[in-house]
Amino acid sequence: MRQIREYCGIFGIYNARDAAHKIYMGLHALQHRGQESAGIVTSVFDETRGKKVMPVHKGPGLVLDVFKDPTVFDTKLLGSSGIGHNRYSTSGAADNLANIQPFLVHYRDGNLALAHNGNISNAREIRHSFIERGTLFQSTADSELILHLIAQSTRRKQIDKITDAVSQLEGAFSLAILTDDSLIALRDPNGFRPLALGRIPSANGNPSEDAWCVGSETCAFDLVGAEYVRDVEPGELIVINQEGIDRGSFESYQLAQNNGVSQCIFEYIYFSRPDSKIFGEMVDKVRRKMGKQLAHDAPVPEVPEGDPAPVVIAVPDSSNTATLGYVSECKKLDRPAKYEIGLIRNHYVGRTFISPGQQSREQRVRSKFNTVEGVLKDRVVVMVDDSIVRGTTARQLIKMVRQAGAKEVHFRVASPPVVSPCFYGMDFPSHEELLANQHNGDVDAMAKWLGVDSLGYLKVDGMTKAVKSANDSEHGYCDACFSRSYPVPVDMGVSKDENEW
Ligand code: AMP
């Protein structure tokens, strides 16, 4: 079975009058993290049944589509706390509606809902041990294993069951868990995926009436009027409930640290939005620094004296910020460069990766971008993109820029060559499909295949330097996709597809 990649967006809120609507807005802001499906679960006291219940609404598609009927907020998703989830878009995964999160179960401690971002790298072993015991599964997602681990824990208190369960996991898991009385936020000890804590001050200034929220990225906070408080720390589990709000501090637990902190550097390169703060720093700032460093590692080509400066264009939108840093630094380095908008992106196509098969992926690139001939014709053009994975996007775009009349086409990448798959949640293809591996890392051969006059990447050292100069936190990063150095052991012999079933 094809793997379902858990590259997602999560949002949770506690003590908010219109909780479901705020989650809806939070998920909408996090739409870039997952377009395949969306869902919200809230917690509410059911008068007729005399107990807490958790209504759920979820389905395939974008947030705006799944929640297009506004009555769902007034009639179904009631209550002042809840969690929501956006799932990343991959072909095939949408077929199984059982995989749409949040997952919801009823067990001896009441109701429990879970939203997960990340990939559990020991999922196969855990699943096999459950299968041996005859456990029945409803989905094919590794996230469901967390629920079984919680339900089957022999600890007495619910919070201990949860810490017991997550202590058995390896890999990437940022979680929002909703119980009958709390919202629990948790990041794996490596801190692979981001998760931040926010607060919506009450209108009357009474802290007991403040709402608290957690989200994958802070752009979700901006839309719901929340202020960023801090990150959920790697390995930290925070219990958000009324007691904690009244006390002015939340219970916080620390999971054992085995492998050190290794936050995903690709979140800064590509995945997160520039207007978000993740891992304690604005993505815009980090990306700009990467662009500046790229100017040192691979500046624009020199042109004969008297010729117009090379035109530098970004591949929108993910490389816009890095390109700004690149151009300003090139100028500082005495390499004249002119920033232009030479590629226009159609925003209604979706992410290129979702189309199955190489040919249709190429068609999608074509339908997603168009060139501005007047900007490119007869000019030396330098294209900047945030990353090259398979090379499909770059190759197609280079062809289009040439067709628009560029005299020379040079390509610059604001990250190093991707050489190894991700086992912690990033949607990368297999080892063999990566452009750099197809050419044994030979940049000239890659340039030839792409059809460019020159190709230049950000160096691994340059990337680390850029991130550190923008974010001086002591936490380290995972750069396994560039360095092949995996911070949590992975079974390289197991294909990613086998990790799911
Ligand atoms: P490729 O065409 O395979 O080389 O893909 C590279 C392009 O896809 C770049 O323009 C990136 O902005 C974007 N990209 C990089 N990583 C991912 C990812 N994990 N999922 C979707 N798109 C990505």
Side-chain angles (χ1 to χ4, degrees):
M1 183 176 290
R2 194 192 190 296
Q3 191 198 5
I4 290 133
R5 293 174 175 103
E6 302 293 335
Y7 210 120
C8 313
I10 58 178
F11 189 82
I13 199 156
Y14 192 89
N15 207 29
R17 217 164 283 152
D18 48 354
H21 195 259
K22 289 222 160 47
I23 298 168
Y24 164 75
M25 291 202 286
L27 291 182
H28 177 57
L30 297 172
Q31 188 72 81
H32 60 289
R33 297 185 70 88
Q35 299 103 47
E36 181 201 283
S37 64
I40 296 177
V41 173
T42 57
S43 171
V44 63
F45 188 77
D46 184 335
E47 301 285 348
T48 47
R49 293 159 75 187
K51 61 175 186 176
K52 284 266 179 91
V53 293
M54 286 193 182
V56 53
H57 185 87
K58 54 186 186 176
L62 301 176
V63 178
L64 296 182
D65 298 330
V66 175
F67 296 94
K68 64 174 175 285
D69 174 9
T71 60
V72 76
F73 297 105
D74 308 323
T75 57
K76 191 176 173 190
L77 295 174
L78 305 171
S80 59
S81 61
I83 58 172
H85 186 270
N86 281 338
R87 178 192 278 289
Y88 189 79
S89 206
T90 53
S91 59
D95 299 347
N96 190 347
L97 296 181
N99 286 327
I100 300 179
Q101 296 194 33
F103 289 146
L104 170 63
V105 288
H106 315 278
Y107 75 123
R108 60 195 141 144
D109 291 332
N111 300 291
L112 188 122
L114 174 114
H116 171 209
N117 172 205
N119 241 73
I120 297 167
S121 39
N122 61 341
R124 209 165 67 120
E125 295 92 272
I126 298 176
R127 184 177 290 113
H128 279 180
S129 78
F130 277 127
I131 291 170
E132 293 294 304
R133 282 182 262 159
T135 307
L136 303 175
F137 290 94
Q138 289 197 353
S139 75
T140 58
D142 58 358
S143 316
E144 191 186 346
L145 299 172
I146 308 172
L147 295 172
H148 290 293
L149 288 170
I150 296 171
Q152 298 194 15
S153 169
T154 53
R155 304 287 174 84
R156 286 179 57 135
K157 281 169 60 188
Q158 187 181 42
I159 190 67
D160 295 336
K161 286 180 189 154
I162 294 173
T163 45
D164 179 37
V166 295
S167 307
Q168 297 172 56
L169 306 175
E170 282 173 13
F173 45 99
S174 277
L175 304 177
I177 299 174
L178 187 67
T179 69
D180 285 329
D181 56 19
S182 306
L183 166 65
I184 297 171
L186 159 75
R187 263 174 94 199
D188 66 75
N190 290 77
F192 280 110
R193 301 287 147 229
L195 192 63
L197 176 69
R199 184 178 72 108
I200 308 176
S202 68
N204 62 13
N206 178 358
S208 285
E209 291 177 35
D210 288 353
W212 287 79
C213 56
V214 291
S216 301
E217 294 179 38
T218 61
C219 62
F221 294 176
D222 298 338
L223 205 59
V224 301
E227 56 193 39
Y228 167 79
V229 175
R230 66 176 179 87
D231 275 13
V232 177
E233 288 297 318
E236 187 188 19
L237 183 154
I238 305 180
V239 183
I240 300 166
N241 55 24
Q242 195 59 49
E243 261 172 57
I245 295 178
D246 294 341
R247 199 173 47 229
S249 68
F250 297 118
E251 271 176 52
S252 160
Y253 299 79
Q254 187 64 42
L255 304 178
Q257 285 284 3
N258 297 324
N259 303 297
V261 174
S262 50
Q263 305 173 125
C264 170
I265 209 156
F266 214 78
E267 288 274 357
Y268 274 142
I269 292 168
Y270 167 76
F271 218 81
S272 294
R273 270 174 43 165
D275 55 334
S276 286
K277 180 178 264 190
I278 61 155
F279 308 145
E281 192 45 85
M282 291 302 297
V283 175
D284 171 272
K285 184 176 168 193
V286 180
R287 237 170 241 180
R288 231 170 249 262
K289 290 272 186 192
M290 287 174 171
K292 288 185 177 201
Q293 184 59 42
L294 177 63
H296 290 267
D297 291 356
V300 295
E302 277 175 307
V303 289
E305 229 178 277
D307 277 14
V311 163
V312 181
I313 60 169
V315 176
D317 295 319
S318 48
S319 76
N320 290 350
T321 311
T323 307
L324 286 175
Y326 179 73
V327 172
S328 74
E329 195 69 4
C330 279
K331 287 179 182 161
K332 273 197 207 155
L333 295 173
D334 246 357
R335 289 286 180 104
K338 188 163 187 282
Y339 178 70
E340 284 285 4
I341 295 173
L343 279 171
I344 304 299
R345 180 177 157 193
N346 181 325
H347 286 262
Y348 307 95
V349 178
R351 293 199 177 202
T352 351
F353 267 49
I354 60 178
S355 44
Q358 198 68 1
Q359 201 203 352
S360 78
R361 202 174 287 118
E362 273 158 24
Q363 280 164 3
R364 282 186 82 107
V365 175
R366 188 69 191 84
S367 57
K368 193 168 161 184
F369 297 99
N370 199 13
T371 47
V372 184
E373 199 184 305
V375 166
L376 306 168
K377 198 165 167 37
D378 299 328
R379 299 298 294 263
V380 172
V381 177
V382 180
M383 303 171 67
V384 180
D385 204 356
D386 60 274
S387 56
I388 294 185
V389 182
R390 294 181 184 85
T392 330
T393 314
R395 193 179 198 210
Q396 183 69 22
L397 291 177
I398 288 158
K399 204 154 110 194
M400 286 164 59
V401 168
R402 284 210 188 275
Q403 279 164 358
K407 190 161 77 177
E408 286 174 30
V409 183
H410 304 264
F411 207 89
R412 300 290 179 263
V413 191
S415 63
V418 176
V419 292
S420 214
C422 177
F423 293 85
Y424 315 123
M426 177 58 65
D427 185 18
F428 282 151
S430 65
H431 191 267
E432 304 74 50
E433 285 173 90
L434 297 167
L435 177 73
N437 295 335
Q438 291 191 344
H439 299 276
N440 297 320
D442 180 341
V443 175
D444 290 339
M446 283 148 73
K448 199 163 165 220
W449 184 83
L450 289 169
V452 271
D453 296 282
S454 80
L455 172 66
Y457 281 94
L458 182 62
K459 297 191 174 116
V460 176
D461 291 352
M463 173 181 70
T464 313
K465 195 168 135 196
V467 176
K468 287 277 170 205
S469 72
N471 182 356
D472 61 5
S473 116
E474 84 278 16
H475 291 330
Y477 294 91
C478 172
D479 62 5
C481 51
F482 306 118
S483 65
R484 300 192 175 98
S485 146
Y486 290 92
V488 171
V490 289
D491 188 350
M492 297 289 276
V494 179
S495 85
K496 296 211 307 178
D497 289 3
E498 276 178 70
N499 212 24
E500 289 286 340
W501 65 320

